Amino acid sequence: MFKKVLIANRGEIAVRVIRACREVGLETVAVFSEADRQALHVRLADEAYLLGPAPSRESYLRMDKILEIARKSGADAIHPGYGFLAEREEFAAACAEQGITFIGPKPSSIAAMGDKMTARETVRKAGVPVVPGTEDVGNLSDEELLAVAPKIGFPLLIKATAGGGGKGMREVRTLEEMPGLLRAARREAEAAFGDGNVYLEKLVTGARHIEFQILADAHGNVIHLGERDCSIQRRHQKLVEEAPSPIMDEELRRKMGEVAVKAAQAVDYINAGTIEFLVDKDRNFYFLEMNTRLQVEHPVTEMVTGIDIVKEQIRIARGRPLQYKQEDIRFNGAAIECRINAEDPYSNFMPSTGRIAHSLLPTGPGVRVDTGVYPGFEITPYYDPMISKLIVWGETRAQAILRMRRALEEYRIVGVRTNIPFHQTLMDSHRFMGGQYDTRFVEERFAIQEERDPALLEIAAALATLAAHRQTERAAQFVQRNERDTSNWKWVGRWERMHR
Amino acid sequence: MFKKVLIANRGEIAVRVIRACREVGLETVAVFSEADRQALHVRLADEAYLLGPAPSRESYLRMDKILEIARKSGADAIHPGYGFLAEREEFAAACAEQGITFIGPKPSSIAAMGDKMTARETVRKAGVPVVPGTEDVGNLSDEELLAVAPKIGFPLLIKATAGGGGKGMREVRTLEEMPGLLRAARREAEAAFGDGNVYLEKLVTGARHIEFQILADAHGNVIHLGERDCSIQRRHQKLVEEAPSPIMDEELRRKMGEVAVKAAQAVDYINAGTIEFLVDKDRNFYFLEMNTRLQVEHPVTEMVTGIDIVKEQIRIARGRPLQYKQEDIRFNGAAIECRINAEDPYSNFMPSTGRIAHSLLPTGPGVRVDTGVYPGFEITPYYDPMISKLIVWGETRAQAILRMRRALEEYRIVGVRTNIPFHQTLMDSHRFMGGQYDTRFVEERFAIQEERDPALLEIAAALATLAAHRQTERAAQFVQRNERDTSNWKWVGRWERMHR
Amino acid sequence: MKYITTIEDKEYRVEIVDEKHIRINDQLLEVDLVAVGGQPVYSLLISGKSYEAYIYPEEKEWQVLLRGQQYKAVVEDEREKRLKTAGGARAESGEFHLKAPMPGLVVSVPVEEGQSVKKGQVLVILESMKMQNELKSPRDGTVHRIRVRAGESVEQRQTLLSVT
Amino acid sequence: MKYITTIEDKEYRVEIVDEKHIRINDQLLEVDLVAVGGQPVYSLLISGKSYEAYIYPEEKEWQVLLRGQQYKAVVEDEREKRLKTAGGARAESGEFHLKAPMPGLVVSVPVEEGQSVKKGQVLVILESMKMQNELKSPRDGTVHRIRVRAGESVEQRQTLLSVT
């Protein structure tokens, strides 16, 4: 039974895992890149070791170094978080070889679900509906794909076999444009994954992205914790997730839940995982893929079920049987998560870097913030732009939306631009309030509030003028007053700022 | 139906009420003293008006000014929070006279429960058990009290009729010491409340302080939201509260809940209120008093019931019927609240003032922080030392305690001393873990961890030495480098610091 | 002191009357501005209403982040402004330098020197934070002096190319 | 650089070897100390273990707030310390000035000038934050020069009385 966990990740998820470990009495080991010496996960862990330079492939993707640090520090388990090494079969295998518990599924399950074509075939054989598309295992040539395309029907999607994050993905409307799009998709997939293989899927229009959270132990017990609706996306990146889905009813949840459990069983799954589905307008659902790891949006499920998913991952990795049966799982109220990204919603969501000068977290009833940053911390360009997750719970979906609005209004982050205004506009939109959205909603039918409230424009003018006036007045007075501000800590603080 | 609420309070509770108002779409008006211009409730409210100088009686206790601001700003309701004017019958009456909704009970209910002797008699007649003591309404002379004391039996308590906060309270062990203690109690009560009247109560030893949360609407519906155990006290000040109480079972909860509802009905109560009981070792319970307002510790009840008590207060004040029946109330898991006070647990809990230089709030699953302070805010000596409430929820009481430990460890507040080490020691104590404590536990059987871990002593030595060494090294370099730090905002920030 | 403050092509006449009063477009308002906790975050009470904003100067403008929205304001002394206007309108043209808004890797430069570009046309694709970001031309013009190539790492604020 | 650091009567010999190493009581340790976000809050990695502390000088001591506990350290240059010790032990006596730890109202002064007091005896009761706080004598001695009376308001750090 392991006692010390190395968290092979950074940011909010590393902090999240440290919290769970601490609550179950496990020691924690953080790893960090040179850009992350002051990161929150380093501050909060019991131990912390440098991995290497800022770029991921020289730090958070270095399996060898991470395993070396595990050995050196005596860590007997590794939690991979999400991203980085979380879905690398060879990393899970290397942990096992060294006698370190990998808090996640078996390497074979990761492999089976990692290749999207194999995954499709495996679950299809287990009776799980998949989106109609190229049905056979094996990589097809362009001619073969062009031949099969009319049978699937247009519009369709070209997807990368090694896929993920929308890379190597192309929409095809006609057979004529298909050869060019195939070339582009293969090129992009090759660049992103070192694997140019692609397959075809029917494009399901007006669909929702709904996923089921799975828990599976080493004793053959598999349950689901209900669904999350993740249809609010931009460029195939999820922005908002909620549980329950506004379109769900008991009957559909039961059916999809059973299928999700079946899909997990098809790859002999152990630990927490997520089965992603598309649900079309007629409430037909299709398996999309399985994420063989903890999901960014796991907190919304935690809020409605009361179950701490990371603690359950640890229990499962320790070989304990699940402490819940399917019939124990109850859903209470509604939860919504907004991903707060350091990006400018007014400039085409351009990432924003810089030092967080000031911040104020929304708190109070029903509000949870999972973050890895704090005032004074520098947002660097090396990693994902997500700086926090704002999660709220309400007795009803309407109450959750109202609470999210309140929390977004309270949230202050100064020093980098964030997508908070995007979320504010979304929470005010009638379609979101009505639960009427699909995966294309943000890109096709949503515009961020650009119009200015004239009253606020006048306030902004007053503020800028007052600030400018103060600066003018003070410029003259500044030099001789400089000496006063020399109480010791301010002085040390200032020195630090100068020498960073 | 009111649209704009003035919050006649400060600190965390003003922020809490602003949040609830915002979530139900009400505008908010803050009031503040000169010491609170930068307070969080001023930052978060829609409007804010100055009341007067820092001392409470020149600001937060000025009914006239508060009503004038309500008129001026068009606020048509007032939420009093707790403390200050929350239990002043004349304030509730003055609001009514001006056509402003007082979000709380009727003036007559406040009056009936405000005089502790009257309250005892009123509920006793309604069939609520009270602690044996002086049974008649009317103020007794010293001779009368000395005559009745042996009938009640020793040890007993002298309590102030106008009572609250342990003032004018004395324990009496023998008849001989009673005259002197009577004089002292009357003197203290006179000083604190302008009323030297006292009464006697049997001292219940080994008792727990357990209170029931009540909700009552204007249509005659009264329900309870279960109990809170508030036995962890020091100098009659609550420090930790939890729900459910470790000693509670369904049967006792049902009985006490019914009695609590009866007590509220006895004074024709409307809005949220709390019935406090003492429960002795044999599980006999006695009415202690009723708090006719929102309670500091209301969040623990919110965490286990999922009900937002402040939103319910607003609904009730709007004349709506309760949306829950008693049988709808379900209790889920366990919640604990630690009151974080600016006081030094190593120096006899001496209050601590100063600027908060840095802080980091614990967040993550199951953690809620209600606070009115933030980094840069100055804690002044004028008000209550409570700077935040840390509340956690867990599936079980054990999980809640483990989570509280984790949250206390994460919580950083720098610049003032806090009682966090007290809470840490408490969460580690076997008696607390076992749920075996009474109202005397902290004072009689608990000592804060004073012993130093030698490993930490060595770390502290290393830290002090490294800091001292840096200071020495830098002192010489400082002058010529001073010029560098002149990017504009730092400069403005510094100017602000200089001129505050 | 009288100022002309311009936000999004709207001009406001703002007079600082005294410590606690300003006049905007002839309306007298009571104001109370304090920096919160010594930060560049300001709490403003203006005729009772409470606002909070992050305000900082950037080049010739003041940036105001208010209720989640970013405003750019040009604050000019009324007298100076009058003199300047008398001296002739400011030139709208001149060279525009495209700077990297963040450190990153240049993925591609889909334009060539001497090429005419339209406002909004993509000049450079920059990868940062695992995202590809399109840097666009703020106006019509001609590409001039391309200083970076695909595959090159650039620092924040580094000039990538110019448009004349 | 060699120091003698004293915490709670325990002496530590601490040598700053270089930027990344110190020696405590002859044990060589790898250290990495950074100020977090420019605050006086320091993150220390010491042989892999992660600690966080608030460190600030106060009069002749360094205050260290570490894992919720407050430590007071006296850091002395080894050479200086040796010279001082050679010159004779520091006087343990001398006048002690009781200062108000916070602003407040003097409720009572339960001692008189010339009165002998024991360590821990209450000298002044001060009301602040709605609480009555007992200020105690840090050692045995004689009360000297009482400068405040019951009912008087005092500022933070104002001297209330002395004990010799």
Side-chain angles (χ1 to χ4, degrees):
Chain A
M1 193 110 116
F2 52 86
K3 292 205 161 59
K4 194 188 268 194
V5 179
L6 184 150
I7 297 101
N9 217 303
R10 66 178 300 283
E12 67 87 19
I13 198 61
V15 171
R16 170 71 186 88
V17 175
I18 289 171
R19 286 180 171 140
C21 289
R22 192 152 283 164
E23 289 180 16
V24 298
L26 290 166
E27 288 182 87
T28 53
V29 178
V31 290
F32 61 98
S33 75
E34 284 168 5
D36 278 341
R37 169 63 184 88
Q38 299 193 22
L40 198 54
H41 71 290
V42 175
R43 293 175 62 187
L44 293 181
D46 296 315
E47 300 176 39
Y49 299 89
L50 180 68
L51 276 171
S56 304
R57 67 183 65 88
E58 298 175 59
S59 50
Y60 298 105
L61 291 173
R62 286 287 301 266
M63 299 187 199
D64 55 337
K65 284 222 176 171
I66 289 170
L67 290 168
E68 185 196 317
I69 290 169
R71 255 197 316 278
K72 198 172 77 177
S73 64
D76 41 9
I78 291 182
H79 194 299
Y82 52 69
F84 296 126
L85 302 172
E87 287 172 290
R88 292 280 191 87
E89 172 197 3
E90 61 272 37
F91 184 60
C95 287
E97 268 164 40
Q98 309 233 355
I100 294 169
T101 305
F102 178 78
I103 302 178
K106 290 182 288 192
S108 59
S109 310
I110 300 176
M113 287 299 187
D115 183 286
K116 302 305 167 195
M117 273 292 280
T118 310
R120 261 174 78 84
E121 280 309 300
T122 308
V123 303
R124 198 172 63 85
K125 282 176 191 149
V128 173
V130 298
V131 181
T134 40
E135 304 275 318
D136 302 303
V137 186
N139 296 311
L140 302 178
S141 67
D142 281 9
E143 289 96 70
E144 289 169 314
L145 291 169
L146 288 165
V148 87
K151 288 175 210 157
I152 296 167
F154 295 95
L156 56 75
L157 273 179
I158 303 172
K159 294 175 90 173
T161 304
K167 274 171 186 155
M169 199 185 285
R170 287 293 183 283
E171 269 185 47
V172 188
R173 308 252 145 216
T174 64
L175 189 59
E176 290 65 44
E177 66 175 359
M178 196 166 147
L181 292 168
L182 270 176
R183 274 194 301 280
R186 286 190 192 275
R187 202 165 48 230
E188 199 170 285
E190 177 70 41
F193 315 111
D195 176 352
N197 285 308
V198 298
Y199 64 102
L200 305 180
E201 249 183 33
K202 190 167 166 52
L203 178 68
V204 182
T205 53
R208 299 179 83 110
H209 177 120
I210 293 180
E211 60 186 29
F212 273 69
Q213 176 68 52
I214 293 294
L215 288 180
D217 67 18
H219 308 278
N221 304 302
V222 187
I223 63 169
H224 72 84
L225 304 185
E227 81 285 359
R228 296 182 287 258
D229 196 320
C230 311
S231 307
I232 300 292
Q233 307 183 347
R234 207 187 134 270
R235 296 210 248 171
H236 304 282
Q237 302 280 338
K238 296 170 187 167
L239 287 166
V240 174
E241 299 96 348
E242 61 175 314
S245 166
I247 67 151
M248 195 55 61
D249 59 30
E250 269 310 316
E251 176 57 16
L252 184 60
R253 179 178 294 127
R254 193 188 50 70
K255 268 162 57 187
M256 290 182 73
E258 278 170 16
V259 166
V261 166
K262 219 182 277 178
Q265 284 167 333
V267 293
D268 205 4
Y269 199 78
I270 293 175
N271 214 285
T274 298
I275 313 289
E276 299 191 330
F277 294 102
L278 278 182
V279 182
D280 71 16
K281 281 177 242 172
D282 304 320
R283 301 163 73 84
N284 300 307
F285 59 92
Y286 308 98
F287 172 85
L288 211 51
E289 63 178 54
M290 178 172 194
N291 291 315
T292 56
R293 53 164 166 87
L294 186 63
Q295 203 88 326
V296 175
E297 57 272 25
H298 75 277
V300 295
T301 299
E302 294 185 326
M303 300 287 262
V304 295
T305 60
I307 294 171
D308 186 316
I309 294 170
V310 184
K311 282 194 205 168
E312 291 307 312
Q313 286 193 292
I314 293 168
R315 278 184 62 89
I316 292 166
R318 284 179 151 181
R320 303 238 183 97
L322 286 182
Q323 52 182 336
Y324 309 97
K325 294 196 176 356
Q326 189 62 55
E327 58 266 31
D328 300 331
I329 307 303
R330 293 272 172 282
F331 305 102
N332 182 23
I336 305 174
E337 169 179 285
C338 287
R339 299 190 185 194
I340 310 299
N341 294 340
E343 55 190 26
D344 186 348
Y346 296 108
S347 302
N348 200 27
F349 294 87
M350 176 87 70
S352 175
T353 59
R355 185 171 302 275
I356 297 181
H358 177 82
S359 91
L360 195 66
L361 296 184
T363 63
V367 176
R368 166 176 167 187
V369 183
D370 276 23
T371 182
V373 307
Y374 58 86
F377 187 70
E378 177 104 27
I379 310 292
T380 63
Y382 301 107
Y383 315 110
D384 192 278
M386 193 182 77
I387 54 175
S388 78
K389 302 187 306 204
L390 173 57
I391 311 118
V392 303
W393 177 90
E395 281 184 85
T396 61
R397 184 170 185 268
Q399 300 234 23
I401 292 175
L402 291 165
R403 184 162 276 164
M404 182 59 89
R405 280 195 199 163
R406 182 273 285 180
L408 288 165
E409 192 171 337
E410 266 180 34
Y411 206 161
R412 312 266 195 271
I413 304 176
V414 152
V416 293
R417 306 276 172 100
T418 74
N419 62 351
I420 288 175
F422 164 85
H423 290 299
Q424 290 180 306
T425 313
L426 183 72
M427 292 298 136
D428 284 345
S429 86
H430 292 290
R431 292 187 73 102
F432 183 80
M433 284 192 263
Q436 295 178 304
Y437 55 81
D438 60 37
T439 55
R440 300 300 187 92
F441 172 62
V442 171
E443 279 157 1
E444 291 178 0
R445 277 187 296 280
F446 177 80
I448 189 163
Q449 182 64 36
E450 294 267 17
E451 212 178 292
R452 305 297 209 173
D453 175 344
L456 283 182
L457 215 53
E458 188 171 301
I459 298 297
L463 282 163
T465 314
L466 284 163
H469 179 70
R470 287 204 177 178
Q471 193 193 39
T472 310
E473 286 214 313
R474 283 161 192 179
Q477 304 170 13
F478 181 58
V479 179
Q480 64 267 36
R481 281 190 170 140
N482 201 3
E483 294 312 294
R484 282 208 213 158
D485 183 31
T486 46
S487 71
N488 210 292
W489 81 259
K490 286 172 186 162
W491 176 85
V492 173
R494 200 151 66 207
W495 196 91
E496 291 291 340
R497 283 201 298 272
M498 267 182 272
H499 291 78
R500 268 193 302 250
Chain B
M1 194 109 115
F2 53 86
K3 293 206 161 60
K4 193 187 272 195
V5 179
L6 183 149
I7 296 103
N9 217 304
R10 66 178 300 283
E12 68 86 20
I13 197 62
V15 171
R16 171 71 187 87
V17 175
I18 289 170
R19 286 179 171 141
C21 289
R22 192 153 283 163
E23 289 181 16
V24 299
L26 291 166
E27 287 183 87
T28 53
V29 179
V31 289
F32 61 96
S33 75
E34 285 168 6
D36 278 342
R37 169 63 183 89
Q38 299 193 20
L40 198 53
H41 71 290
V42 176
R43 294 175 62 187
L44 294 181
D46 296 315
E47 301 177 38
Y49 299 89
L50 180 68
L51 277 172
S56 304
R57 67 181 65 86
E58 298 175 60
S59 51
Y60 299 104
L61 291 174
R62 286 286 301 267
M63 300 187 199
D64 56 338
K65 284 220 176 171
I66 289 170
L67 290 168
E68 186 196 315
I69 290 168
R71 256 196 314 279
K72 199 172 77 176
S73 64
D76 41 9
I78 291 182
H79 195 300
Y82 53 69
F84 297 127
L85 301 172
E87 287 172 291
R88 291 279 192 88
E89 171 195 4
E90 61 272 37
F91 184 60
C95 287
E97 269 164 39
Q98 310 232 355
I100 293 169
T101 305
F102 179 77
I103 302 177
K106 290 183 290 193
S108 60
S109 309
I110 299 176
M113 287 298 187
D115 182 287
K116 303 305 167 195
M117 273 292 279
T118 311
R120 262 174 78 83
E121 281 308 302
T122 310
V123 303
R124 198 169 63 85
K125 282 177 190 147
V128 173
V130 298
V131 180
T134 40
E135 303 276 319
D136 302 303
V137 185
N139 295 313
L140 301 179
S141 66
D142 280 10
E143 288 98 68
E144 289 169 314
L145 292 169
L146 287 165
V148 87
K151 288 175 212 156
I152 296 165
F154 294 95
L156 55 75
L157 273 180
I158 303 171
K159 295 175 89 172
T161 304
K167 274 173 184 151
M169 199 186 285
R170 287 292 183 282
E171 269 184 48
V172 188
R173 307 251 149 218
T174 64
L175 189 58
E176 290 64 45
E177 65 175 1
M178 196 166 149
L181 292 168
L182 269 174
R183 274 195 302 279
R186 285 190 192 276
R187 202 163 50 227
E188 200 169 283
E190 178 68 44
F193 314 111
D195 177 353
N197 285 308
V198 297
Y199 64 103
L200 305 181
E201 249 182 33
K202 190 166 168 52
L203 179 68
V204 182
T205 53
R208 300 179 82 108
H209 177 119
I210 292 180
E211 59 186 30
F212 273 69
Q213 176 69 50
I214 293 294
L215 288 180
D217 67 18
H219 308 279
N221 304 302
V222 187
I223 62 168
H224 73 85
L225 304 184
E227 81 285 358
R228 296 182 287 258
D229 196 320
C230 312
S231 307
I232 299 293
Q233 307 183 348
R234 205 186 136 269
R235 295 209 249 173
H236 303 283
Q237 303 280 338
K238 295 168 187 167
L239 287 167
V240 174
E241 299 96 348
E242 62 175 316
S245 166
I247 66 152
M248 195 54 61
D249 59 31
E250 270 310 316
E251 174 57 16
L252 184 60
R253 179 178 294 128
R254 193 189 50 72
K255 267 162 57 186
M256 291 182 73
E258 277 170 16
V259 166
V261 166
K262 217 183 275 176
Q265 284 167 332
V267 293
D268 205 3
Y269 199 79
I270 293 174
N271 214 285
T274 297
I275 313 288
E276 299 192 330
F277 294 101
L278 277 183
V279 181
D280 72 15
K281 280 177 244 174
D282 305 320
R283 301 164 72 83
N284 299 308
F285 59 92
Y286 307 98
F287 172 86
L288 211 51
E289 63 178 55
M290 179 172 193
N291 292 315
T292 56
R293 53 163 168 86
L294 186 64
Q295 204 88 327
V296 175
E297 57 271 26
H298 73 277
V300 293
T301 299
E302 294 184 325
M303 300 286 262
V304 295
T305 61
I307 294 171
D308 186 315
I309 293 171
V310 183
K311 282 193 205 168
E312 291 307 312
Q313 286 194 292
I314 293 168
R315 277 183 63 88
I316 292 166
R318 283 180 150 180
R320 305 240 182 95
L322 286 182
Q323 51 182 337
Y324 309 96
K325 294 197 177 355
Q326 189 63 54
E327 57 268 28
D328 298 332
I329 307 304
R330 292 273 173 282
F331 305 101
N332 182 23
I336 304 175
E337 169 179 285
C338 288
R339 298 189 185 194
I340 310 299
N341 294 340
E343 55 189 26
D344 187 347
Y346 296 108
S347 301
N348 200 27
F349 293 89
M350 177 87 71
S352 175
T353 60
R355 185 172 302 275
I356 296 181
H358 178 81
S359 91
L360 195 65
L361 296 184
T363 63
V367 176
R368 166 176 167 186
V369 183
D370 277 23
T371 183
V373 307
Y374 57 86
F377 187 70
E378 177 104 29
I379 310 291
T380 63
Y382 301 107
Y383 315 110
D384 193 276
M386 193 180 77
I387 54 175
S388 80
K389 302 187 307 204
L390 173 56
I391 309 116
V392 302
W393 177 88
E395 282 184 85
T396 61
R397 183 170 186 268
Q399 300 234 23
I401 292 174
L402 290 165
R403 184 162 276 165
M404 181 59 88
R405 281 194 199 163
R406 182 274 284 180
L408 288 166
E409 192 171 336
E410 266 181 34
Y411 206 164
R412 311 267 197 269
I413 304 176
V414 151
V416 292
R417 307 275 171 102
T418 74
N419 63 351
I420 288 175
F422 164 85
H423 290 300
Q424 290 180 306
T425 313
L426 183 72
M427 292 298 136
D428 283 346
S429 86
H430 293 289
R431 291 188 72 104
F432 183 79
M433 284 192 263
Q436 296 178 305
Y437 55 81
D438 59 38
T439 55
R440 301 299 187 92
F441 171 63
V442 171
E443 280 157 1
E444 291 177 1
R445 277 186 298 279
F446 176 80
I448 188 163
Q449 182 65 35
E450 294 268 16
E451 211 178 295
R452 304 297 208 172
D453 175 344
L456 283 182
L457 214 55
E458 187 171 300
I459 298 298
L463 283 162
T465 314
L466 284 162
H469 178 70
R470 287 208 178 176
Q471 194 193 38
T472 309
E473 286 213 314
R474 283 161 192 179
Q477 304 171 13
F478 181 58
V479 179
Q480 64 267 36
R481 281 187 170 144
N482 200 4
E483 294 312 294
R484 282 207 213 160
D485 182 32
T486 46
S487 72
N488 210 295
W489 80 258
K490 286 173 186 163
W491 174 86
V492 173
R494 201 150 67 203
W495 195 94
E496 290 292 338
R497 284 202 297 271
M498 268 184 273
H499 291 77
R500 267 192 303 249
Chain C
M1 235 0 219
K2 291 182 181 178
Y3 296 91
I4 304 285
T5 297
T6 312
I7 298 194
E8 313 206 332
D9 304 326
K10 266 198 161 170
E11 276 195 6
Y12 295 85
R13 278 170 293 123
V14 185
E15 182 188 355
I16 311 292
V17 180
D18 59 34
E19 272 279 292
K20 292 280 175 197
H21 295 87
I22 64 171
R23 193 174 274 123
I24 301 190
N25 294 349
D26 301 324
Q27 198 191 352
L28 186 70
L29 298 168
E30 202 182 324
V31 293
D32 180 10
L33 183 77
V34 300
V36 169
Q39 300 290 331
V41 175
Y42 290 86
S43 165
L44 173 71
L45 298 183
I46 183 161
S47 300
K49 299 260 186 277
S50 177
Y51 296 94
E52 198 162 288
Y54 177 45
I55 316 175
Y56 58 99
E58 201 174 84
E59 296 177 5
K60 287 165 194 161
E61 294 170 333
W62 284 86
Q63 298 282 341
V64 179
L65 178 64
L66 174 66
R67 302 227 165 139
Q69 306 237 346
Q70 192 88 19
Y71 300 87
K72 292 175 192 173
V74 175
V75 181
E76 290 164 294
D77 185 294
E78 193 189 34
R79 236 160 42 99
E80 267 176 42
K81 164 107 177 167
R82 247 192 257 120
L83 290 172
K84 214 162 64 182
T85 313
R90 274 176 299 170
E92 259 302 314
S93 60
E95 200 169 14
F96 164 76
H97 297 282
L98 178 70
K99 290 176 179 169
M102 69 211 116
L105 185 78
V106 175
V107 176
S108 72
V109 184
V111 293
E112 291 175 10
E113 289 190 5
Q115 182 181 334
S116 305
V117 291
K118 293 275 167 206
K119 176 177 174 177
Q121 189 170 340
V122 175
L123 301 176
V124 173
I125 298 175
L126 188 68
E127 185 173 310
S128 186
M129 285 177 152
K130 298 168 52 185
M131 311 267 281
Q132 296 201 355
N133 306 289
E134 300 181 334
L135 307 182
K136 296 173 179 172
S137 182
R139 60 157 200 265
D140 297 356
T142 306
V143 176
H144 190 59
R145 286 193 298 179
I146 298 178
R147 306 194 189 182
V148 291
R149 279 174 312 177
E152 195 174 322
S153 287
V154 296
E155 297 292 311
Q156 189 162 17
R157 310 209 128 259
Q158 184 175 332
T159 300
L160 308 177
L161 55 75
S162 310
V163 175
T164 51
Chain D
M1 219 27 200
K2 289 182 183 180
Y3 295 92
I4 303 285
T5 297
T6 312
I7 297 193
E8 313 208 332
D9 304 326
K10 266 199 161 167
E11 276 193 7
Y12 295 85
R13 276 169 296 124
V14 185
E15 183 188 353
I16 312 291
V17 180
D18 60 32
E19 273 279 293
K20 292 280 176 198
H21 295 87
I22 64 171
R23 193 173 274 121
I24 302 190
N25 294 350
D26 300 324
Q27 198 192 350
L28 187 71
L29 299 167
E30 202 181 323
V31 294
D32 179 9
L33 183 76
V34 300
V36 169
Q39 300 290 332
V41 175
Y42 290 87
S43 165
L44 173 71
L45 299 182
I46 183 161
S47 301
K49 300 260 185 279
S50 177
Y51 296 95
E52 198 162 290
Y54 177 45
I55 317 176
Y56 58 100
E58 201 174 84
E59 296 178 5
K60 286 166 195 160
E61 292 171 334
W62 285 85
Q63 297 282 340
V64 179
L65 177 65
L66 174 65
R67 301 225 166 142
Q69 306 236 346
Q70 191 87 21
Y71 300 86
K72 293 175 191 174
V74 175
V75 181
E76 291 164 293
D77 183 295
E78 193 189 34
R79 234 160 43 99
E80 266 177 42
K81 164 109 177 168
R82 249 193 255 120
L83 288 173
K84 213 164 64 185
T85 313
R90 274 179 299 167
E92 260 299 317
S93 58
E95 200 168 14
F96 164 77
H97 298 282
L98 178 70
K99 291 177 179 170
M102 68 212 120
L105 184 79
V106 175
V107 176
S108 73
V109 184
V111 293
E112 292 174 10
E113 288 191 5
Q115 182 181 334
S116 309
V117 291
K118 293 275 166 208
K119 178 176 173 176
Q121 188 170 340
V122 177
L123 300 176
V124 173
I125 298 174
L126 188 68
E127 186 173 309
S128 185
M129 284 176 152
K130 297 168 51 185
M131 310 268 282
Q132 297 201 355
N133 307 288
E134 300 180 335
L135 308 183
K136 296 172 181 174
S137 181
R139 60 159 200 263
D140 298 354
T142 305
V143 176
H144 190 59
R145 286 194 297 178
I146 296 179
R147 305 192 191 184
V148 292
R149 279 176 314 179
E152 196 173 318
S153 288
V154 295
E155 297 293 314
Q156 191 163 16
R157 312 210 127 259
Q158 183 176 331
T159 299
L160 308 177
L161 56 76
S162 311
V163 174
T164 51

